[in-house]
């Protein structure tokens, strides 16, 4: 089998998604989002998201197959996100995928959604160089990974000790009155602001803490500093310069991520940095990583926006990697794991 064809299914949070990948070629990519149903609650409501997955599952998969001009018999394997994510949401996608695999007698892989976020870059940039470094920035995760072999061996080099970057943005966005998810609103306002208007700390970069945690992140201090600053302004009856707050926050977060990622590349001798996760859609981070990459001689591979946020293509792509590497499919009774560790690639 030279070019495996894999159907990828994703249902970890508020996106129901299905896609078909053949080799490194994306044949279809269908995403249905329940985000609008959560916006008025200020965050994803698991029960609502699970129901939405149950409704969208069959239409999404059918559409992905139709757009690829295939039916289930034409795929070599099915891959489905089995964690990390919301348990009820994962259960819908995994149950649906298992039913399809059983009915069509296809192998199934329960895969790690986070590793999918880095695997997806192959659709744009081709296979990974050996021993590469990856920066994962999603709503729930901020981590540096050492990718020896994306199908078999990934190590955690550093991770956030508290909030993820996406979480930190979403929390500040709430204070500024933006609807959920606030990340994209901060991004937009930051484009018109002064990144040096407010002093925002850069967590775990200075002194002993910085030396002890060269590759770890901390964003809760950043969030608190910005929150205090906003409160002080409001208490004094002054207007909050929203664009400047957003620009200063975005600059601090992007700078820490880019600096630590480049230091990691140097340490591991990696000339390539893979970037993935919903937060990699952030324009300040994209610009900063490309700037630092250029300066440090590191090729930065950031996927196009549509492949940054949750999608089925990333699941299918990792599925192709597993098939190509000859990794055994998951057992039919594999479990979902809402806290799936990052060094576990498949079940
Ligand atoms: O990976 P993802 O789609 O979901 C998880 O698996 O967590 O990431 C969602 C996160 C949210 O925190 C959202 O605010 C953030 O990504 N995000 C952004 C942007 N687009 C999405 N944050 C900043 N700027 C953006 N343009
Ligand atoms: Zn994600």
């Amino acid at each position: 089998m030279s070019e495996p064809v894999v159907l990828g299914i994703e249902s970890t949070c508020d996106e129901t998604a299905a896609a078909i990948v053949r080799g490194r070629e994306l044949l279809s990519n269908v995403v249905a989002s329940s985000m609008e149903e959560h916006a008025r609650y200020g965050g994803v409501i698991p029960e609502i998201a699970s129901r939405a997955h149950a409704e969208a599952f069959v239409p999404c998969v059918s559409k992905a197959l139709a757009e690829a001009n295939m039916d289930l018999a034409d795929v070599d394997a099915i891959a489905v996100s089995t964690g990390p994510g919301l348990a009820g949401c994962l259960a819908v996608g995994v149950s649906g995928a298992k039913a399809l695999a059983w009915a069509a007698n296809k192998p199934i892989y329960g895969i790690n959604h986070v590793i999918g976020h880095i695997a997806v870059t192959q659709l744009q940039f081709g296979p990974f160089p050996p021993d590469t470094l990856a920066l994962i920035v999603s709503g729930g995760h901020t981590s540096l990974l050492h990718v020896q072999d994306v199908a078999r061996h990934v190590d955690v080099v550093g991770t956030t000790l508290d909030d993820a970057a996406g979480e930190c943005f979403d929390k500040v966005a709430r204070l500024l009155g933006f609807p959920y998810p606030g990340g994209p609103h901060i991004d937009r306002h930051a484009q018109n602001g002064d990144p040096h208007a407010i002093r925002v700390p850069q967590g775990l970069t200075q002194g002993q803490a910085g030396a002890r945690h060269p590759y770890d992140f901390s964003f809760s201090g950043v969030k608190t500093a910005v929150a205090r600053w906003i409160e002080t302004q409001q208490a004094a009856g002054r207007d909050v310069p929203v664009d400047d707050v957003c620009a200063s926050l975005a600059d601090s977060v992007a700078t820490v991520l880019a600096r630590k990622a480049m230091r990691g590349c140097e340490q591991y001798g990696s000339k390539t940095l893979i970037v993935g996760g919903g937060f990699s859609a952030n324009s300040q981070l994209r610009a900063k990583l490309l700037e630092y990459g250029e300066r440090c001689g590191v090729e930065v591979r950031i996927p196009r926006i549509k492949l940054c946020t949750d999608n089925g293509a990333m699941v299918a792509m990792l599925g192709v990697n597993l098939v190509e590497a000859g990794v055994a499919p998951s057992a039919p009774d594999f479990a979902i794991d809402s806290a799936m560790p990052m060094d576990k690639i498949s079940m």
Side-chain angles (χ1 to χ4, degrees):
M1 191 196 301
S2 55
E3 296 261 82
V5 177
V6 176
L7 163 64
I9 295 171
E10 151 67 27
S11 73
T12 50
C13 188
D14 59 326
E15 269 102 14
T16 317
I20 311 271
V21 170
R22 177 172 54 210
R24 301 289 176 285
E25 190 190 352
L26 183 58
L27 302 183
S28 64
N29 191 24
V30 178
V31 181
S33 171
S34 62
M35 182 55 78
E36 276 174 17
E37 297 174 57
H38 309 288
R40 65 191 168 114
Y41 301 103
V44 174
I45 308 295
E47 184 74 8
I48 294 175
S50 303
R51 284 166 191 261
H53 288 306
E55 287 169 19
F57 184 90
V58 170
C60 269
V61 172
S62 311
K63 196 159 175 231
L65 286 167
E67 285 181 6
N69 229 338
M70 288 183 176
D71 56 42
L72 208 48
D74 299 319
V75 309
D76 297 308
I78 296 172
V80 59
S81 298
T82 197
L86 300 169
C89 296
L90 291 164
V92 176
V94 168
S95 305
K98 282 184 178 181
L100 294 177
W102 181 69
N105 195 23
K106 298 290 179 184
I108 183 166
Y109 293 87
I111 65 101
N112 187 322
H113 166 97
V114 173
I115 307 303
H117 272 303
I118 56 179
V120 75
T121 54
Q122 296 165 94
L123 291 171
Q124 255 178 281
F125 303 97
F128 289 126
D131 286 328
T132 191
L133 231 70
L135 174 67
I136 281 291
V137 275
S138 70
H141 296 86
T142 303
S143 303
L144 264 179
L145 307 180
H146 177 229
V147 184
Q148 210 178 75
D149 170 354
V150 73
R152 295 182 190 280
H153 198 108
V154 173
D155 287 314
V156 179
V157 172
T159 193
T160 179
L161 304 184
D162 39 59
D163 290 359
E167 251 174 302
C168 167
F169 265 46
D170 290 340
K171 286 176 180 167
V172 172
R174 192 188 291 223
L175 288 176
L176 292 172
F178 299 140
Y180 182 86
H185 295 274
I186 300 220
D187 185 334
R188 200 157 29 78
H189 282 273
Q191 291 171 28
N192 306 317
D194 172 5
H196 306 294
I198 299 166
R199 264 185 58 92
V200 179
Q202 299 191 337
L204 297 184
T205 53
Q206 311 282 314
Q208 276 196 357
R212 215 177 309 127
H213 297 281
Y215 308 112
D216 290 324
F217 305 97
S218 166
F219 294 111
S220 81
V222 175
K223 174 194 67 192
T224 309
V226 175
R228 291 282 167 279
W229 193 88
I230 294 172
E231 280 164 15
T232 311
Q233 292 293 109
Q234 286 168 337
R238 287 191 288 265
D239 283 343
V240 175
V242 172
D243 293 353
D244 288 347
V245 170
C246 293
S248 302
L249 169 69
D251 185 74
S252 160
V253 170
T255 303
V256 173
L257 290 169
R259 271 171 60 183
K260 295 212 171 193
M262 289 303 148
R263 192 195 289 181
C265 286
E266 197 184 9
Q267 168 79 23
Y268 282 82
S270 177
K271 287 279 152 216
T272 314
L273 178 72
I274 309 291
V275 185
F279 192 83
S280 57
N282 178 255
S283 42
Q284 292 80 31
L285 177 63
R286 296 170 83 92
K288 195 70 83 180
L289 284 170
L290 292 172
E291 177 198 323
Y292 275 55
E294 180 118 352
R295 203 186 301 155
C296 302
V298 171
E299 184 206 349
V300 178
R301 298 184 177 182
I302 314 180
R304 57 178 182 266
I305 306 283
K306 226 189 147 185
L307 298 181
C308 288
T309 44
D310 293 343
N311 62 76
M314 60 193 228
V315 183
M317 186 61 243
L318 183 53
V320 166
N321 290 135
L322 292 163
V323 173
E324 284 177 345
V327 172
S330 306
D333 64 347
F334 75 86
I336 60 164
D337 185 353
S338 52
M340 194 167 185
M342 250 172 288
D343 54 5
K344 187 167 173 108
I345 298 162
S346 62
M347 284 294 187

